[in-house]
Amino acid sequence: GKARVCGVDWQYSGSNDNIGNLKQGTYLEAMAQVYQQCHLVLKPCGLMILVVKPFIRDQKLVPLQEDTKCLCDKVGFSFVEEWHRILPSQSFWRVIYAKKYPLAPKIDREYVLIFKKLEA
């Protein structure tokens, strides 16, 4: 969607180069590279804090927070803790999806994941 933030018009790219537009396998591979680069630039004991939200594929909930924990572990982060926040409302796209597929699960929370780079 298009938005105006701090006086600047911006929108997510529809390009295949945008990680958010990739399908599950390629998306997770791309995010593994992002987390690997974060690991490289953080100092020992540095924290990486992520906010992720599950998504729906084929009317089934995909727990992105669990995939993210696995990816971060593989690149060398230590999982510290997880928090979640109940979402006060559904996004426009979730409302549309729920009308089309009323039995599909709802996405009612997002997760804050905290990881630590271990000492060298």
Side-chain angles (χ1 to χ4, degrees), residues 71-109:
L71 290 175
C72 291
D73 180 65
K74 286 180 182 177
V75 301
F77 281 104
S78 174
F79 176 70
V80 176
E81 85 185 279
E82 171 185 309
W83 293 74
H84 72 267
R85 179 180 87 96
I86 302 297
L87 298 171
S89 62
Q90 296 287 296
S91 72
F92 171 77
W93 300 111
R94 289 287 106 222
V95 171
I96 298 283
Y97 193 87
K99 286 180 181 178
K100 187 173 181 179
Y101 303 105
L103 298 179
K106 305 278 186 267
I107 298 173
D108 65 350
R109 63 193 66 212

Side-chain angles (χ1 to χ4, degrees), residues 40-51:
L40 286 172
V41 300
L42 275 174
K43 294 179 181 179
C45 298
L47 297 178
M48 177 174 71
I49 302 170
L50 305 172
V51 178

